[in-house]
Amino acid sequence: MKKTLAYTLSIVIGFATTQLKAQQTPYIELLKQEPKWVDSVFKKLNKKQKIAQMFFVAAYTNKSKAFTDSIGKVIRRERVGGLVFFQGGPGRQAALTNKYQKLARVPLLIASDGEWGLGMRLDSTIAYPYQMALGAVQNKELIYKMGLEVAKDFKRVGMHMNLAPDVDVNNNAKNPVINYRSFGENKYNVAEKGAAYLKGMQDGGLLVSIKHFPGHGDTDVDSHFDLPQLKFTKERLDTLEMYPFKELVKKGAAGVMIAHMNIPSLDATPNMPSTLSKPIVTGILKEEIGFKGIIISDAMGMKGVVKYFKDGEADVMGIIAGNDILELSENSKRAVKMVRQAIKDQRLTMERIDESVKKILTAKYWAGLNVKQTINEDNVVAEVNRPESLTLLQQLADASMTLLKGREFVQQLTPNKRTVIINIGTPDATVFQKELASMYKNSISFSLEKRQMLMQLQKYWQKFSQKIK
C-alpha cells in the first residue's frame, strides 16, 4: 500500500513538475527541447491529420444550435488543430469549449482576438482601454498588469492564445481598420508598450500573436474588403513598419500574424498578398529577422487574400509561403485535400508540413493541453469581472489622460462653474467633448475646424464675451 501510494505521488509530482516547467520555459525555448508528448502525438498522426492541425476554424456562442453543432462535426470529422472564438458570452463559451474539446482526438488550441481583453468579443466581460489610449500611459507596469489580467481571463474561459497585441505603427490618419487599435504613430512607443503587454500575457501563461506583419498602419484600404498596396521602399518598411515586430521578436513573442497586403518592394509578383508571399513570410520574417515561433495568417476568407487567389489556392500558397496556422479558411475540408494534392505535385513537402505541426503541438504542450482539461462552468462571469481588474481598468483610464498644461488649475474645475469646452480639428463635437459636456452642465462647446480656425476663434470669442457679460 505504501509503495503504491509513493508511486502515485511520484506520478502526480512528475506531472506537476512537467506542467511547471512547460509554463516557466518560454515557448520559443521550448521548441528547442522537443517535448516527448509532442513527439508521441506527432507520430500517431497520418498525413491528412497533420495537415488538418494547421487549420483553425471560427466558433461563436451567439449563433444557432445548428451552427454550433456544425462546428462540432468539423472538429470530429476533419480533426482541425484549433478554434478562433468570436462573439458570444463567457459562460456559454466555457461550456461550448468543454463540449468541443471532448470531440477532439488531439486537444484544440483555442484563440481569440482580445486586443483590449475579452470585452473585444464577449459580452459581460471587461473591455480595457484601446491600445491608442495605452500608448499615452507612461507607467509600463500598468500595461504589464493588464497583460496578466487578460491572461487570467482567457485561461478562465479555456483559451490559450490571444491574437494580440497589434503593433502596427499608426502612421496614416485615413487608415480605416487600424487607427485606435495601434499604440500610436511613434515606432519606439509602439514597440515599448507592445512589449509590456506581450510580457504580461506570456508571463501569465498565454500565447500571443503580434500583428499585422510587416505592418498595416500606413494604408487607407481595409484588407477585409480589398487588397491594400504599400508602395514604400524596403528600407522604409524595414526601419519603420517592421521595427516593432523585430523588437518584439527579440522579446520572445510566441507568434506573429501576417497581413494581407501587396508590397512590390518585397515581392514584385502582381497582386501577391504578403500572406501568400514566400519572400516575405519565409525570406524576411523567418530568415532575415530570425523568427522561430508560430506564424499565423490573417483570416483566409478576407478579400485581401482571396480576391486574386480563389477556390482554395490561397490556402495552399499560404502554407508554401511559410505560415504554420491558417485561420478561418473558406473551406477547411477542401483546403486539406488541396494541400495533399500539392504535396503529390511536389509544390511542397511533408517536411514543410511537419515543421508547422510540431510548432502547433509544442504550443499545445506549453498551454498545458498534454493533461486533460475541463473548464469549471460555474461563476464564470463573476470570475472574469474581478474587483482587481476593475480597479486596474480605472487606473489605466486615468493614466491614459494626457494634460499638456495646467494640472493644478484643472483641480479647481467644478461642474457648476461656467466652462468652455473646445474641440480642435474636427467640424463636429467628439464623443469626449459630449461626455465632458454631460458632466459640466454649465458649459459652452466650440468646434474649431482646421481651415477656418482663426476666423472661428474670433467669432467664438465675440459670442463667448457676450455670454459672460
Side-chain angles (χ1 to χ4, degrees):
M1 179 68 181
K2 288 183 179 180
K3 288 183 178 179
T4 302
L5 181 59
Y7 180 69
T8 303
L9 283 172
S10 69
I11 292 175
V12 172
I13 292 169
F15 269 125
T17 303
T18 301
Q19 283 298 101
L20 185 61
K21 185 177 180 182
Q23 289 296 328
Q24 289 180 336
T25 304
Y27 170 73
I28 299 297
E29 293 299 316
L30 192 62
L31 285 169
K32 302 174 186 177
Q33 298 179 13
E34 300 182 354
K36 290 181 180 179
W37 180 86
V38 171
D39 188 55
S40 173
V41 174
F42 177 81
K43 288 179 178 177
K44 293 176 184 177
L45 301 175
N46 60 34
K47 291 182 180 180
K48 181 179 178 181
Q49 292 162 358
K50 287 178 181 178
I51 297 167
Q53 283 293 302
M54 300 175 70
F55 289 86
F56 282 41
V57 299
Y60 295 77
T61 61
N62 66 343
K63 293 197 174 185
S64 66
K65 185 177 185 299
F67 178 86
T68 57
D69 288 347
S70 71
I71 299 303
K73 290 178 182 177
V74 170
I75 293 167
R76 188 175 67 253
R77 295 174 182 174
E78 297 181 29
R79 301 191 187 184
V80 293
L83 303 175
V84 181
F85 267 100
F86 289 89
Q87 281 74 22
R92 287 168 284 163
Q93 183 167 319
L96 193 57
T97 297
N98 280 336
K99 177 181 176 181
Y100 285 158
Q101 290 287 21
K102 288 179 181 177
L103 296 173
R105 298 285 185 89
V106 177
L108 298 162
L109 191 71
I110 312 292
S112 185
D113 291 285
E115 294 163 26
W116 47 91
L118 289 183
M120 182 170 174
R121 295 296 184 192
L122 303 183
D123 61 40
S124 310
T125 57
I126 292 175
Y128 287 96
Y130 294 143
Q131 289 187 186
M132 184 169 283
L134 297 179
V137 174
Q138 299 303 305
N139 184 356
K140 290 184 295 183
E141 184 66 20
L142 288 175
I143 300 174
Y144 172 78
K145 288 179 179 178
M146 173 181 156
L148 290 175
E149 293 301 300
V150 169
K152 289 178 186 176
D153 292 340
F154 265 62
K155 291 166 70 177
R156 179 63 186 86
V157 297
M159 292 196 287
H160 317 105
M161 172 177 274
N162 190 359
L163 305 177
D166 186 316
V167 294
D168 297 310
V169 180
N170 188 48
N171 46 7
N172 188 331
K174 295 181 180 179
N175 196 314
V177 67
I178 301 302
N179 44 73
Y180 59 80
R181 297 168 63 190
S182 166
F183 287 105
E185 72 282 355
N186 183 297
K187 66 179 183 181
Y188 302 108
N189 191 47
V190 171
E192 185 177 58
K193 303 301 168 55
Y197 189 18
L198 175 145
K199 189 175 190 305
M201 287 190 283
Q202 292 196 160
D203 284 357
L206 188 67
L207 295 160
V208 306
S209 175
I210 57 178
K211 59 189 183 186
H212 305 80
F213 184 85
H216 207 312
D218 198 350
T219 174
D220 57 3
V221 175
D222 186 343
S223 52
H224 287 85
F225 307 112
D226 206 343
L227 178 63
Q229 186 178 72
L230 297 188
K231 298 180 180 180
F232 310 120
T233 65
K234 182 177 180 180
E235 181 182 10
R236 145 74 192 261
L237 293 162
D238 182 66
T239 56
L240 179 54
E241 275 79 10
M242 291 190 221
Y243 177 81
F245 292 93
K246 292 190 290 184
E247 290 300 302
L248 268 63
V249 165
K250 293 176 187 175
K251 302 286 186 182
V256 173
M257 179 182 286
I258 311 295
H260 304 314
M261 295 185 298
N262 178 247
I263 314 174
S265 65
L266 304 184
D267 188 337
T269 308
N271 302 317
M272 178 63 73
S274 43
T275 338
L276 313 186
S277 169
K278 191 170 183 179
I280 293 175
V281 179
T282 295
I284 295 177
L285 181 57
K286 295 174 77 171
E287 295 175 357
E288 289 186 21
I289 295 177
F291 180 63
K292 305 297 183 186
I294 298 179
I295 300 175
I296 305 167
S297 76
D298 208 342
M300 293 299 289
M302 291 165 60
K303 294 299 182 185
V305 69
V306 298
K307 182 177 180 178
Y308 298 104
F309 299 90
K310 302 178 184 296
D311 303 323
E313 177 62 14
D315 296 311
V316 175
M317 291 182 64
I319 292 176
I320 293 173
N323 291 279
D324 301 305
I325 292 174
L326 298 185
E327 64 157 342
L328 317 186
S329 166
E330 288 184 308
N331 187 325
S332 54
K333 184 178 180 180
R334 176 186 66 185
V336 171
K337 184 177 180 180
M338 291 184 68
V339 171
R340 293 179 72 189
Q341 185 61 47
I343 294 170
K344 292 178 183 177
D345 296 340
Q346 298 184 339
R347 294 179 65 192
L348 58 83
T349 65
M350 273 309 298
E351 286 73 21
R352 165 74 197 87
I353 302 296
D354 291 349
E355 175 192 351
S356 292
V357 175
K358 287 181 179 179
K359 285 186 187 180
I360 294 164
L361 292 177
T362 302
K364 293 181 179 185
Y365 176 81
W366 189 89
L369 288 168
N370 57 310
V371 177
K372 186 176 180 180
Q373 299 178 358
T374 301
I375 307 161
N376 182 357
E377 297 176 19
D378 297 328
N379 303 316
V380 179
V381 173
E383 291 177 21
V384 294
N385 288 275
R386 299 176 299 279
E388 60 269 27
S389 300
L390 295 169
T391 298
L392 177 62
L393 174 62
Q394 187 62 56
Q395 290 173 334
L396 286 163
D398 292 345
S400 71
M401 298 302 296
T402 302
L403 182 63
L404 299 180
K405 188 177 181 181
R407 185 174 296 277
E408 293 182 1
F409 177 75
V410 166
Q411 294 175 357
Q412 301 174 26
L413 292 176
T414 65
N416 298 324
K417 288 183 178 180
R418 190 64 166 163
T419 306
V420 180
I421 303 172
I422 303 174
N423 174 50
I424 300 174
T426 59
D428 301 315
T430 63
V431 173
F432 180 61
Q433 191 178 22
K434 291 175 182 177
E435 286 293 322
L436 283 178
S438 68
M439 178 176 291
Y440 292 91
K441 303 292 185 182
N442 190 21
S443 65
I444 181 171
S445 297
F446 299 132
S447 291
L448 302 178
E449 297 183 47
K450 293 179 182 178
R451 296 179 182 178
Q452 300 178 337
M453 194 171 290
L454 182 59
M455 187 185 303
Q456 283 184 301
L457 275 173
Q458 293 172 340
K459 177 182 176 182
Y460 286 147
W461 175 248
Q462 291 174 353
K463 183 179 178 181
F464 179 65
S465 297
Q466 293 173 354
K467 288 201 173 192
I468 60 175
K469 285 181 179 178

